[in-house]
């Protein structure tokens, strides 16, 4: 069972990393208007990240500690909310009027705090990977840098899409390297 989870984590980690880079690059070249296919790829990447979080957590085993546990929980809760937000953004990129979706009393806090939970989970995941010493340390650093750069994109004004691509590059490469190392590394418990 653990081998299947590790294999799933390997595949989804690599695929989500590739999709994040491709999707944000497509959205950059689309210009002012989001590219529907690029936004769809972001959606698929976030769906796959749920499984990547579980796979990375499972593979690190006991070396996760409390930090890794919170990384998986907060990262997945935030990621699921971000996936829902991206789903609405697909409709918006298609020309639908969905601005009112995130302005209700119930959805506004979710829209505000969901991405923050995801960012916090990603930061904890990077730190957990660095401290766990199961994956290469630089993959954890790449996730940290990519997450911080991507979060900074929201306050970068006109250059937001460029900053998002840079953040996606770091994060995507971090996930790809982690996924590629699944097969090369031995489980910490072995």
């Amino acid at each position: 069972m653990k081998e299947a989870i590790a294999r799933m984590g390997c595949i989804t980690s690599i695929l989500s990393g590739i999709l994040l880079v491709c999707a944000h690059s497509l959205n950059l070249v689309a210009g002012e208007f989001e590219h529907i296919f690029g936004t769809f790829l972001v959606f698929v990447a976030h769906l796959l990240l749920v499984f990547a979080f579980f796979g990375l957590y499972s593979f690190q085993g006991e070396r996760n500690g409390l930090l890794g546990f919170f990384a998986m929980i907060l990262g997945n809760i935030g990621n699921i909310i971000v996936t829902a937000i991206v789903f609405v953004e697909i409709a918006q990129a298609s020309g639908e009027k969905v601005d009112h979706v995130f302005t209700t009393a119930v959805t506004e806090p979710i829209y505000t705090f969901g991405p923050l939970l995801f960012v916090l989970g990603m930061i904890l995941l990077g730190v957990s990977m660095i401290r766990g010493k199961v994956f290469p340390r630089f993959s954890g650093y790449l996730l940290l840098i990519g997450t911080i750069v991507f979060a900074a994109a929201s306050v970068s004004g006109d250059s937001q899409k460029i900053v998002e691509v840079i953040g996606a590059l770091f994060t995507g490469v971090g996930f790809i390297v982690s996924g590629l190392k699944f097969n090369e590394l031995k489980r910490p418990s072995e």
Side-chain angles (χ1 to χ4, degrees):
M1 180 70 170
K2 285 197 174 213
E3 287 297 321
I5 292 172
R7 175 92 36 215
M8 175 190 63
C10 168
I11 293 168
T12 57
S13 187
I14 293 169
L15 284 176
S16 61
I18 292 169
L19 288 176
L20 283 172
V21 173
C22 292
H24 288 289
S25 298
L26 273 174
N27 285 339
L28 175 66
V29 297
E32 184 179 319
F33 303 101
E34 297 256 332
H35 193 277
I36 295 171
F37 187 65
T39 307
F40 175 73
L41 291 179
V42 172
F43 176 75
V44 173
H46 279 282
L47 285 175
L48 292 173
L49 279 177
V50 171
F51 301 105
F53 267 103
F54 281 117
L56 293 169
Y57 177 80
S58 173
F59 197 78
Q60 285 195 134
E62 294 176 8
R63 294 203 181 171
N64 281 302
L66 203 54
L67 191 67
F69 177 74
F70 282 123
M72 185 193 62
I73 296 297
L74 295 177
N76 269 329
I77 291 171
N79 187 42
I80 290 167
I81 293 170
V82 167
T83 304
I85 291 169
V86 174
F87 183 75
V88 174
E89 288 174 353
I90 291 172
Q92 187 174 22
S94 301
E96 296 296 320
K97 296 184 189 293
V98 294
D99 296 335
H100 63 281
V101 172
F102 299 123
T103 58
T104 68
V106 175
T107 57
E108 191 170 14
I110 294 171
Y111 179 72
T112 302
F113 294 111
L116 292 175
L117 287 175
F118 178 64
V119 167
L120 183 59
M122 287 290 291
I123 289 171
L124 292 176
L125 176 65
V127 172
S128 171
M129 289 172 73
I130 293 166
R131 291 181 66 198
K133 298 178 183 171
V134 173
F135 293 97
R137 293 177 76 123
F138 73 92
S139 62
Y141 286 118
L142 287 169
L143 291 177
L144 280 173
I145 293 167
T147 301
I148 292 168
V149 169
F150 200 87
S154 62
V155 294
S156 59
D158 293 338
S159 59
Q160 178 177 353
K161 292 204 182 280
I162 294 170
V163 176
E164 284 179 352
V165 170
I166 294 168
L169 279 170
F170 279 102
T171 305
V173 171
F175 277 117
I176 292 168
V177 168
S178 300
L180 291 174
K181 292 298 178 179
F182 267 101
N183 292 330
E184 297 176 18
L185 298 171
K186 293 188 180 192
R187 290 190 181 280
S189 58
E190 289 182 346

